[in-house]
Structure formats: structure tokens, C-alpha cells
């Protein structure tokens, strides 16, 4: 009698596992971590660290021609310093110290050709961002002394505003290895005002299926509604765009300690390229990126600045 019972429970377990595998994953929780140490242990400059937590939920929709909607909330902290983490004299800085803490809510409307994102954001700069404390905490692991430069950081500025993103896929064939999309981004609030436009390239190997922009980790849409199935992905992705900076108060904001009354000036146009490798697994999304961009202030002498990004999320 024992063997039939074992076979029964084994069959039941396999059936439950199969049913669980077919359940749609329409929710996602994860984090994104930026740091220049992810590309070199000798870098500690400019946009030096960022951490973002996010939660998403996908639902079907019949709004216009869109078939899926993703609601998303993001909470994050970013920190900036000059060409070195410890430059206490403003006169020697090529960009100011600044922390930025924010929250974003957005709704993303999706079909196989278009992604339209509409959202609101709020945030603030200043000492209450905890950027100084976060940097000191990270530097403790590397036995780096605390920076005196944070005494000069950008003062507190409160913001509330909107952000709009639009993606249009103009080249996609499932049997081809390459997918090309147009990307546009706009952020408007009392700290940032910028407009970006460029191209996104997705390169699949022949061993994996090619997916549309409606169901891929490349654009954060790898959540399934009733009409979709999960597709395993493993690919290279490149996003390259030009940003017009109308305002960035993490650069031009008033400083706490600026006896020489030094001013910093925005570089109007910034070119950014993000090169990443992505895994879209059944329960997990993972990616690693190297990001290169031109200088954001006129005072910076370097032509290119780089940092790394790690993204990890769990789907359920």
C-alpha cells in the first residue's frame, strides 16, 4: 500500500507544480542599484550612488487601442558629488554635493507597438535626504574617511510634478534577432525639467524567442494578464538618447556654505548610452548595465562619465 500512496502524492505534487507554473505573474517587486563602483573600484564621482525600490501590478485594459495597463510606484534616493568624494572647498568643486529623495506613481498603457506612461512625482533635496549618511555608510566598507564636502551641499528644495514617457516600436519581427524602438521621456517639476529622445536596440540570440515591447523586461512590461504567457528571455539591450536639460537644481540650487558665491552652470545637451544584459526568468528579472553619459555641468572637464546599474525583481 505504501508505493501507491507515494505515487499518488508524487503525481499530485507534480500537478500542483504544473498549475503553479501556469499562474500568471501580474505583480512585481524589486530594486535598482546604481553605483560607479560597479564599473571600477577607483571611481567615486558625480552621480555616485542611487537606490530605488519599486512595485508593479498589471491588469487588462480596453482604453483606446491599449490592451494592458501597469500601475507602478517607485521610491528612491540619489546622491551626487564632484570629481572626488571629499572636496570641502566649493571653489574646487566641478559640481555641487546634492542628495535627492523622491516618490513616483505612474500608469503605463501598453500594446504591441506603443507604451505610454503618465505619472506624478514628488521629492526634495537637502540634508534631510540622508545622502551624506548613506555615503558614509558605504565608505565604511572600503575604509574611506568621511567627506567634509557635504557641509556645502544643495539646500532643501521641495518638488511635485509630472513625468511622461512614450515608446514606439517600429521594427519587430519574431524571427529576427534585432528589435528597434523610439524612446521619449519628459520630466517636469521644480527640481528637474528635461526632455529626452533616442533609440532602443534589443539583440536576441537564436536560442531564445523574440518578444514584443508589450511583454519584455527591456521596457519593464514582463508581467502577464489573462491573454499573455511568460516567455523566457536572455539578451543584450542598448538605449541611447539625447537629453535637453532645461533645469537641474541638484546643480544650480543654492548651497549651504558658498563664501565665494561660485555658480554652477548646466550643460544643455547630454548624451547617455545604457548597455545592459538582461535575464527574464519565470520568477525573476535580473540585469546588469554600464551607463555612459557626457558631462552635465559646464565646469566638468571629463568628456565621459560612467557608472553601473544592477536590477533585481521578483514576479508573483
Amino acid at each position: 500500500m505504501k508505493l501507491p500512496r507515494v505515487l499518488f502524492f508524487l503525481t499530485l505534487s507534480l500537478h500542483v507544480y504544473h498549475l503553479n507554473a501556469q499562474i500568471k505573474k501580474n505583480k512585481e517587486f524589486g530594486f535598482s542599484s546604481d553605483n560607479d563602483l560597479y564599473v571600477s573600484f577607483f571611481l567615486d564621482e558625480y552621480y555616485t550612488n542611487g537606490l530605488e525600490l519599486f512595485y508593479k501590478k498589471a491588469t487588462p485594459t480596453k482604453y483606446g487601442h491599449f490592451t494592458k495597463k501597469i500601475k507602478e510606484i517607485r521610491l528612491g534616493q540619489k546622491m551626487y558629488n564632484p570629481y572626488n568624494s571629499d572636496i570641502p572647498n566649493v571653489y574646487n568643486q566641478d559640481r555641487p554635493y546634492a542628495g535627492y529623495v523622491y516618490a513616483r506613481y505612474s500608469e503605463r498603457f501598453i500594446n504591441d507597438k506603443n507604451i505610454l506612461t503618465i505619472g506624478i512625482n514628488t521629492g526634495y533635496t537637502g540634508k534631510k535626504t540622508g545622502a551624506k549618511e548613506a555615503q558614509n555608510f558605504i565608505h565604511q566598507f572600503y575604509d574611506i574617511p568621511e567627506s567634509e564636502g557635504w557641509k556645502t551641499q544643495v539646500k532643501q528644495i521641495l518638488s511635485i510634478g509630472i513625468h511622461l514617457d512614450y515608446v514606439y516600436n517600429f521594427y519587430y519581427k519574431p524571427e529576427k534577432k534585432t528589435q528597434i524602438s523610439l524612446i521619449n521621456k519628459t520630466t517636469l517639476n521644480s527640481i528637474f525639467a528635461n526632455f529626452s529622445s533616442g533609440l532602443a536596440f534589443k539583440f536576441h540570440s537564436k536560442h531564445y524567442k523574440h518578444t514584443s515591447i508589450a511583454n519584455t523586461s527591456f521596457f519593464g512590461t514582463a508581467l502577464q494578464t489573462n491573454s499573455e504567457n511568460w516567455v523566457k528571455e536572455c539578451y543584450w539591450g542598448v538605449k541611447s538618447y539625447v537629453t535637453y536639460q532645461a533645469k537641474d537644481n541638484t546643480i544650480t540650487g543654492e548651497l549651504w556654505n558658498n563664501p565665494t558665491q561660485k555658480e554652477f552652470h548646466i550643460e544643455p545637451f547630454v548624451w547617455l548610452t545604457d548597455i545592459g544584459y538582461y535575464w527574464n526568468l519565470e520568477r525573476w528579472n535580473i540585469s546588469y548595465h554600464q551607463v555612459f553619459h557626457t558631462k552635465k555641468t559646464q565646469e566638468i572637464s571629463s568628456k565621459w562619465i560612467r557608472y553601473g546599474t544592477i536590477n533585481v525583481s521578483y514576479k508573483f
Side-chain angles (χ1 to χ4, degrees):
M1 293 294 292
K2 290 183 179 181
L3 183 58
R5 289 181 181 179
V6 171
L7 291 175
F8 171 76
F9 284 112
L10 179 60
T11 303
L12 180 62
S13 299
L14 290 173
H15 180 65
V16 170
Y17 176 81
H18 177 73
L19 288 176
N20 183 62
Q22 299 303 312
I23 295 174
K24 307 295 184 181
K25 284 78 174 178
N26 70 332
K27 303 180 185 69
E28 184 177 1
F29 175 78
F31 72 89
S32 177
S33 176
D34 303 325
N35 202 298
D36 42 15
L37 290 173
Y38 296 157
V39 296
S40 172
F41 288 111
F42 303 101
L43 289 178
D44 197 5
E45 58 185 16
Y46 307 121
Y47 175 44
T48 185
N49 187 71
L51 179 64
E52 189 174 66
L53 304 176
F54 63 86
Y55 170 78
K56 304 178 185 178
K57 182 178 180 180
T59 57
T61 185
K62 293 182 179 180
Y63 180 78
H65 297 288
F66 298 105
T67 56
K68 180 166 69 175
K69 180 172 73 171
I70 294 180
K71 296 180 179 180
E72 180 177 17
I73 186 168
R74 290 180 175 265
L75 306 173
Q77 179 200 59
K78 297 181 184 294
M79 64 179 73
Y80 308 86
N81 56 231
Y83 62 90
N84 188 280
S85 62
D86 190 16
I87 308 293
N89 191 327
V90 176
Y91 181 79
N92 296 322
Q93 297 173 7
D94 53 1
R95 75 143 292 147
Y97 288 81
Y100 176 53
V101 169
Y102 60 93
R104 295 165 54 119
Y105 173 78
S106 62
E107 294 193 359
R108 192 175 303 175
F109 300 90
I110 303 158
N111 61 31
D112 285 341
K113 294 286 289 184
N114 305 272
I115 303 173
L116 175 63
T117 303
I118 304 172
I120 58 173
N121 54 74
T122 184
Y124 58 90
T125 61
K127 296 179 180 179
K128 293 183 179 180
T129 62
K132 172 187 174 181
E133 291 75 14
Q135 187 178 75
N136 289 337
F137 176 77
I138 295 170
H139 282 184
Q140 285 178 359
F141 290 97
Y142 301 95
D143 196 27
I144 300 173
E146 292 187 3
S147 172
E148 295 295 321
W150 285 99
K151 295 178 180 179
T152 69
Q153 68 177 293
V154 172
K155 290 184 178 181
Q156 187 174 70
I157 305 169
L158 301 177
S159 78
I160 186 167
I162 62 170
H163 55 273
L164 304 170
D165 297 347
Y166 176 65
V167 176
Y168 174 71
N169 181 219
F170 63 82
Y171 180 80
Y172 165 63
K173 294 181 179 179
E175 69 276 10
K176 299 296 183 180
K177 296 181 180 180
T178 305
Q179 178 182 353
I180 307 173
S181 302
L182 176 68
I183 51 177
N184 297 279
K185 302 180 180 184
T186 299
T187 299
L188 296 171
N189 58 47
S190 55
I191 296 177
F192 298 100
N194 52 62
F195 312 88
S196 304
S197 185
L199 296 173
F201 303 87
K202 183 181 174 189
F203 304 100
H204 262 273
S205 71
K206 62 182 179 180
H207 304 293
Y208 295 92
K209 292 182 180 180
H210 217 16
T211 59
S212 75
I213 63 172
N215 190 18
T216 176
S217 60
F218 193 41
F219 292 111
T221 58
L223 294 172
Q224 290 76 51
T225 58
N226 296 333
S227 60
E228 297 176 304
N229 292 311
W230 166 73
V231 178
K232 185 176 182 180
E233 295 182 290
C234 189
Y235 58 91
W236 286 97
V238 178
K239 297 174 182 176
S240 187
Y241 51 86
V242 174
T243 298
Y244 172 67
Q245 296 190 116
K247 177 169 60 178
D248 183 346
N249 278 325
T250 69
I251 294 172
T252 60
E254 185 180 357
L255 306 183
W256 280 103
N257 185 11
N258 187 9
T260 61
Q261 299 301 305
K262 180 176 179 177
E263 295 183 353
F264 294 92
H265 304 88
I266 293 173
E267 188 69 32
F269 291 97
V270 177
W271 180 24
L272 181 145
T273 297
D274 177 331
I275 303 171
Y277 196 74
Y278 299 74
W279 296 269
N280 175 8
L281 307 176
E282 186 175 3
R283 289 287 183 180
W284 296 91
N285 282 333
I286 303 169
S287 64
Y288 169 75
H289 310 248
Q290 290 203 12
V291 181
F292 306 82
H293 66 81
T294 55
K295 63 182 183 180
K296 294 187 176 182
T297 75
Q298 296 178 12
E299 287 72 25
I300 294 175
S301 58
S302 300
K303 291 184 178 181
W304 288 97
I305 297 160
R306 59 184 176 134
Y307 61 91
T309 299
I310 296 173
N311 297 318
V312 179
S313 63
Y314 179 75
K315 297 172 288 186
F316 55 99

